[in-house]
Amino acid sequence: MEQIVSRKKTPGNFYKHNTEKMPTIAISDLDPIEIPHHFNLTHCPPAEFELPPRKTEKVSLPPHLNSILANYDMATGGSTRSEVLIRSRINVIILTTLAKMMREFAPKPHASVASASSTAPSVSLKSIHLQFERKIRFNWKSENRLVKLFGIVDYSLSYGMPNKHATNVAMVEVERPHLLKSGMLHCLAYMAMIHEKRKQSKIRDRSVYGIATDGYEWVFIRIRSNGEWIEKTYSWVQNAQDIVSMLVKIFARAAGFDPRSYDRKNSTSLT
């Protein structure tokens, strides 16, 4: 399973050429509306609990996160929203959520949780690797034409060694609220590249998760194994707990375990 978070980049030249004369296209230069068509993806409504967290999956916010974000807003209230400010806010939310998971989830004795892409009997959150600004390239055949696609994923999570097969989450940072939809679709393109690589590698679970966010609005995306994709948007002001719960849910899947099957060191973590 893959997860991706993406940031909208400034478009450059649409075509470039490498030494082999294969057209090279930046993901940010693709027409966002055409991305599902280019990658043969079908948009579908999500199942009842496919993206929204179940009651048993809801977790409390990491300690002090609200006060940290309130201090951020106070300190930067008069500043123009920029990539640096957005990135700092997203970093706090992601890193405190990962830290919360590592503190609070401990395996039950004799628990056996199978990884989606491994035969190992158990897994650990320590297997998660968080990468920043990871370069990604992929040869893609579209409309009988072979092109080399490339781009930079703002955040990616993988289990084990980070590679095209093990990546589970991709995230894209969006610099302006009105760019959220196009950022979401560019994130979908990165996810589709990972999905196709997993398909070629004959990995059983080809599903990929992604997130596009400006730190306030969060769009969660999933490509199912069969190429169908779904999405759901949350507002931090109204749905902070749902956002953190979704992060925990997909980060846990990146590590290959179900947090509901694990003991919590802090009994107050679920609400």
Side-chain angles (χ1 to χ4, degrees):
M1 176 189 55
E2 299 276 356
Q3 298 169 351
I4 298 176
V5 181
S6 162
R7 178 180 66 223
K8 184 77 171 63
K9 304 292 183 181
T10 303
N13 295 329
F14 192 86
Y15 289 102
K16 298 177 183 177
H17 294 272
N18 61 17
T19 55
E20 299 176 351
K21 304 301 182 182
M22 182 188 296
T24 301
I25 304 176
I27 292 298
S28 58
D29 288 335
L30 295 175
D31 181 349
I33 301 301
E34 295 297 322
I35 285 174
H37 169 72
H38 286 317
F39 292 98
N40 302 313
L41 301 174
T42 304
H43 190 214
C44 296
E48 184 177 4
F49 293 112
E50 190 172 5
L51 283 181
R54 299 173 184 267
K55 185 176 181 180
T56 54
E57 294 173 328
K58 289 198 175 185
V59 301
S60 59
L61 269 61
H64 314 300
L65 177 57
N66 271 334
S67 60
I68 293 172
L69 294 178
N71 287 338
Y72 264 61
D73 290 340
M74 181 182 297
T76 63
S79 303
T80 301
R81 185 179 296 190
S82 67
E83 178 180 339
V84 173
L85 291 179
I86 292 170
R87 175 69 61 91
S88 64
R89 180 183 177 88
I90 296 171
N91 285 347
V92 168
I93 295 171
I94 291 175
L95 294 176
T96 57
T97 298
L98 275 173
K100 173 186 174 70
M101 293 175 66
M102 292 178 179
R103 280 196 308 268
E104 296 183 2
F105 290 106
K108 291 180 179 179
H110 310 299
S112 176
V113 184
S115 170
S117 61
S118 171
T119 57
S122 62
V123 292
S124 169
L125 281 170
K126 294 181 180 180
S127 67
I128 290 182
H129 291 264
L130 176 63
Q131 286 187 288
F132 299 87
E133 297 195 342
R134 176 184 169 188
K135 294 180 180 179
I136 185 169
R137 294 180 176 84
F138 190 72
N139 293 341
W140 186 261
K141 188 174 183 180
S142 178
E143 298 179 353
N144 298 317
R145 183 182 57 160
L146 188 64
V147 299
K148 184 183 291 293
L149 300 174
F150 76 94
I152 297 177
V153 178
D154 295 318
Y155 305 81
S156 65
L157 265 75
S158 61
Y159 56 82
M161 293 302 294
N163 56 47
K164 292 185 179 69
H165 312 113
T167 302
N168 294 91
V169 183
M171 290 183 62
V172 175
E173 171 191 322
V174 181
E175 296 177 20
R176 296 288 184 273
H178 69 276
L179 297 176
L180 193 63
K181 182 176 180 180
S182 62
M184 180 267 291
L185 291 170
H186 283 121
C187 184
L188 185 67
Y190 292 118
M191 295 168 62
M193 293 161 68
I194 297 171
H195 177 268
E196 182 63 22
K197 188 64 179 179
R198 293 170 69 83
K199 180 179 178 180
Q200 293 176 4
S201 302
K202 302 187 184 303
I203 294 176
R204 183 177 178 181
D205 183 3
R206 303 164 188 164
S207 61
V208 183
Y209 284 85
I211 306 165
T213 180
D214 63 355
Y216 296 90
E217 298 293 318
W218 293 68
V219 183
F220 290 90
I221 318 156
R222 184 187 183 213
I223 297 180
R224 296 168 177 161
S225 291
N226 63 1
E228 296 174 342
W229 70 281
I230 59 175
E231 42 87 18
K232 186 171 179 62
T233 302
Y234 293 97
S235 166
W236 183 265
V237 173
Q238 298 173 337
N239 309 108
Q241 185 185 19
D242 287 334
I243 290 169
V244 169
S245 299
M246 276 300 303
L247 290 173
V248 168
K249 180 178 179 177
I250 61 179
F251 291 173
R253 295 200 63 170
F257 75 89
D258 182 348
R260 292 174 299 175
S261 67
Y262 273 54
D263 285 328
R264 299 188 313 281
K265 295 179 182 178
N266 180 355
S267 62
T268 63
S269 63
L270 286 184
T271 57

